[in-house]
Amino acid sequence: MAELFTGDYIQINDSSGTSATIHFRNIVEWINEGIFCVNGEGKILYANDQFCRNLGYKRDEIIGSLIFDYFWNEDQIKISKQKLELRKKGLSDVYEIIMKKKTGEAIWVRLSGKPVFDSNGNFVATVTIQADITKPKLLEDELRNAKEDLEIKVITRTRELSEANLKLNEQIRERKLAEISKLHTEKRFRDIYINSPDAIYIESLDGIILDVNAATCKLHHADENFLIGKSIFDVSPPEVHEVIRKRQPKLISGEITKFESECVTKEGEIIPIEISTAKIQFKDKPALLMHVRDISARKATERLQLNLNDELEKKVLERTAELEAANQKLTAEIQAREQIQQQLETQKNFLRQIIDSIPNLLFVKNPEGKFLLANKAVADFYGKTTAQMEGHYDDVQNFTQEEIEYFAEQDKQTLASDGDVNFPERAFTHIRKNEVVWLSTTKKTIPSLTENEKNILGVATDVTTLKKAKEELALSEQLYRALAGNLPKAAMFIFDKEMRYVVAEGPLIGIVSRPKAEIEGKTVHETIRSSEVETVVNMYREILTGKEREFEQTFFGRILRINHIPIRNENGEIVYGMVMIFDISDIKQAQRELEVRAEQLERSNEELERFAYVASHDLQGPLRTIASYLQLLEMRYKDKLDGEASEFIRFSVSGAKRMQLLIQDLLTYSRLSNTPKPFATVDLSEVLNTVQSNLEATIHNSRTQINVPDNMPAVFGDATQLVQLFQNLIDNGIKFVKERNPVITVHFNENPNEWQFSVSDNGIGIREEFKEKIFQIFQRLHNDTEYTGTGIGLAICKKIVQLHNGRIWFDSREGDGTTFHFTIQKPKEETQD
Ligand code: ADP
């Protein structure tokens, strides 16, 4: 047996008689897995380097030792012992087991064992190939821990790998066994070489095929004669030639021992292959042993897998896209719905706001009296919120029992009717405002939205104001009637916007118009003659648009004053038109008579004034003569006449003097109107200076104090007349004083259109009752012996003031002084607005 393993070379004889010597070491080293042989007791007869490396021992330590010592535990040892016994009986198989390294680490191995029998059939030894499968084992664990979603793929792949692995192992086993057999029998080696399911060929270092096995022929669809002697380039597709060229030296140097490539069949079909190489001696020359495996199936599977993956990925993408599209559609649909929902909500709110802002009471009830809708006005009226009303029946509202019954009756009538049902105005107590409100209600049926029944829509309007207005109108109508009825010679017509007569009243009705019964309640068209109706309608239309007019018109010899008056309500809106007719014929007549009389008076006044002037002017001469002669008589016959005659003459002289004074004053007065002078600007300071110098002696004798403002204004007037005016007033003020020194004060005041002056004294005063009389000519309150005077002074003052478009009056308290006031109009351009 030992000599079996001592030889370094194996002679291979093929059927044709050619032989090859294969270096045993080369073969065992070429197989890069552990190989060992044990005898029947389990003693290790042979172990290759790889086996020693796998377990971490030196060959010397291993050879001769028992194989059982290298198993992990008792169980494993037991299995290996059983296997040895079975080998002796001829079993060849593959099993996995745990061995123990020198370092104490475990090593998973796959053992492919085969017995070797000699030519007599006696058991010689086992030959076992040991493959380290620790890494795959660990990988398996890792894979187990892989992610859940990859698990199926991993399992599938693992299964595929396991199957492939199994196949591979079987192939390896068979190959190895065949090879091992050839270690000691040429025939056996030849069998292994020739019958190996994997293609094996030997090529020279420059790539010429030297030998091939049957599987190689099969792979290339050619016989060995075709293949042997060909270059490897001939059996490879041109695309890989460059790669082959570069790889060849690396194969020779042993740098590359395993690679993938492609070969080409005789017909030109390209087949993917996996190649393991080993350097051998072939016919005493170094050569390369090429162990070729067809990997088309694996490649196809890989391609299939890739295709499947691609397809799956594509499908996933398609499905994802579909789902995304569907999702987008769905999202858009949801958004659209949401939008519609929002729009509906907005619309609903909008409608609700409108309904709630309606001032009328608006509600919808179902036939059982449940409020389906009640607007804010309804809720306010009953002191509730809309939410408290809606969804509830009449009986939980703030209604009285009587109201509930009344409303039920209304609803009954409404449901029985087709159209609007108007209910008479009725008073209710407004719960919130606590006041009586008149409501006018209209109800009608409306179809229910959801059920096949009718609901009731109600609208109630607050007619309190209208009702009051009607009442007030009735009252004012009465007033109008009373007024017009009692006005003498008047007629009154009131008409509404439709030009229908509401009132026709007054004694002239039936005289200037048709009788009352034919007017009231009738329209203008029904009452006025067609030839005049257009004029009247136009006139009435003007009144109704606010035109007020007053004009006179004759009517069968009578004079009528006609007033057009628009009648407005409290808001200023025109609600009626009124025409008032007064018969003013009598008034007109009286007025005309008055005017005639005034004219006559004016004329006689003028004549009188002329007469007074002429008389006073012409009387002065004779009077002067009388007075002169009387004085002459008195002088010349003073001693000849007795005392009585002298007295008479003195009286006559005094009378004549007084008459002279009277006539002078009268002449002054007459001149005022008969000899007018143009007005000019007059400085009143100068006027008052003149007055004071004219009255100098009087002022001095009576010890009068006169107060005049420094800033007396200038006025527009007649200077002489103004001197006369102030002089008369101041003179009177000095004259009518008793038992005190006179004090005269002048004041002035400026008004927009006139100047106002006053002259006050501290005299005897004038009683109120004489306020008119003292300004009349020749009117005096005292006799001449008490206070001298002619009674013309104030008449002159009045006349002067009148000529200056002013007024004169006085304030006085008897015994306490008098203040005379007068005004002088400013010239037009000077007046202030
Ligand atoms: P006469 O002064 O010449 O009597 P007037 O016309 O000036 O005439 O006055 C009329 C009358 O008015 C006077 O007689 C006098 O009784 C009364 N009277 C006028 N001025 C005053 C006055 N300042 N105080 C009191 N009485 C006056």
Side-chain angles (χ1 to χ4, degrees), residues 66 85 124 136 198 264 276 280 288 321 459 486 497 561 573 588 607 644 736 768 810 822:
L66 280 174
E85 288 314 307
V124 179
D198 284 342
V264 64
S276 299
I280 57 165
L288 288 168
V459 182
N486 291 304
K497 286 185 165 178
R561 197 186 74 212
E573 294 151 1
K588 277 275 165 188
E607 276 167 17
E644 209 173 4
F736 296 103
E768 171 71 14
F810 68 83
F822 65 91

Side-chain angles (χ1 to χ4, degrees), residues 713-774:
V715 297
F716 190 66
D718 182 327
T720 316
Q721 289 179 3
L722 291 172
V723 169
Q724 183 93 60
L725 173 61
F726 275 103
Q727 192 167 317
N728 285 2
L729 292 175
I730 291 170
D731 194 26
N732 278 352
I734 297 169
K735 185 162 69 177
F736 296 103
V737 177
K738 227 180 193 174
E739 297 158 3
R740 61 178 86 159
N741 292 335
V743 179
I744 309 290
T745 308
V746 177
H747 275 297
F748 74 91
N749 207 0
E750 186 177 10
N751 295 330
N753 300 322
E754 58 190 17
W755 292 97
Q756 184 174 330
F757 301 93
S758 65
V759 179
S760 311
D761 62 46
N762 55 347
I764 55 170
I766 309 167
R767 292 223 300 273
E768 171 71 14
E769 60 195 88
F770 301 120
K771 64 176 185 183
E772 296 289 339
K773 189 180 171 184
I774 56 164

Side-chain angles (χ1 to χ4, degrees), residues 665 728-729 732-737 761 763-766 774-776 778-782 787-796 817-818 820:
D665 281 353
N728 285 2
L729 292 175
N732 278 352
I734 297 169
K735 185 162 69 177
F736 296 103
V737 177
D761 62 46
I764 55 170
I766 309 167
I774 56 164
F775 292 107
Q776 289 170 10
F778 302 131
Q779 294 298 330
R780 307 198 65 228
L781 303 181
H782 308 94
Y787 297 100
T788 57
T790 57
I792 297 176
L794 285 179
I796 290 174
T818 306
F820 279 88

Side-chain angles (χ1 to χ4, degrees), residues 429-444:
T429 305
H430 191 303
I431 289 185
R432 218 163 249 178
K433 294 184 191 161
N434 201 20
E435 60 187 31
V436 172
V437 172
W438 284 81
L439 293 182
S440 155
T441 311
T442 303
K443 287 187 176 179
K444 70 184 286 187

Side-chain angles (χ1 to χ4, degrees), residues 650-706:
R650 206 160 29 85
F651 282 148
S652 301
V653 170
S654 157
K657 279 185 179 166
R658 184 164 164 73
M659 188 168 267
Q660 253 181 326
L661 262 179
L662 272 170
I663 286 169
Q664 264 168 19
D665 281 353
L666 192 61
L667 192 63
T668 310
Y669 180 80
S670 304
R671 275 196 187 123
L672 287 175
S673 0
N674 290 319
T675 55
K677 271 206 298 184
F679 279 7
T681 303
V682 182
D683 183 348
L684 291 183
S685 295
E686 281 176 21
V687 166
L688 281 158
N689 285 339
T690 311
V691 171
Q692 287 182 68
S693 82
N694 289 349
L695 297 176
E696 199 180 347
T698 318
I699 290 165
H700 178 76
N701 295 338
S702 58
R703 296 199 181 131
T704 298
Q705 183 192 330
I706 297 185

Side-chain angles (χ1 to χ4, degrees), residues 132-260:
D132 180 354
I133 57 163
T134 312
K135 273 184 189 160
K137 279 283 174 192
L138 289 173
L139 205 66
E140 232 170 74
D141 288 341
E142 272 173 34
L143 286 172
R144 245 197 310 280
N145 295 332
K147 280 184 184 174
E148 218 176 282
D149 57 345
L150 281 173
E151 210 165 60
I152 295 165
K153 273 190 185 175
V154 169
I155 288 167
T156 317
R157 190 67 193 133
T158 310
R159 196 164 55 233
E160 282 170 9
L161 282 172
S162 308
E163 280 166 11
N165 210 19
L166 202 69
K167 266 187 203 162
L168 188 73
N169 277 327
E170 272 168 19
Q171 286 167 4
I172 290 169
R173 178 177 52 82
E174 282 164 18
R175 194 171 68 212
K176 299 290 188 279
L177 285 174
E179 281 162 4
I180 293 304
S181 316
K182 280 172 198 159
L183 287 178
H184 57 276
T185 59
E186 292 165 8
K187 177 88 174 73
R188 230 175 271 274
F189 184 82
R190 183 76 202 157
D191 284 350
I192 292 171
Y193 178 67
I194 288 176
N195 299 321
S196 166
D198 284 342
I200 302 171
Y201 64 91
I202 297 162
E203 69 174 54
S204 65
L205 295 186
D206 50 359
I208 303 298
I209 298 170
L210 302 175
D211 193 22
V212 294
N213 71 351
T216 308
C217 294
K218 205 173 153 197
L219 181 69
H220 287 279
H221 301 172
D223 59 20
E224 55 188 32
N225 294 332
F226 177 81
L227 292 167
I228 292 172
K230 287 257 168 18
S231 157
I232 49 162
F233 292 103
D234 297 334
V235 294
S236 309
E239 300 85 65
V240 300
H241 288 182
E242 187 56 33
V243 182
I244 292 174
R245 246 191 297 281
K246 283 185 180 158
R247 190 172 53 215
Q248 196 68 7
K250 292 180 182 170
L251 295 179
I252 294 163
S253 70
E255 198 182 323
I256 295 176
T257 57
K258 201 166 185 179
F259 59 89
E260 281 187 10

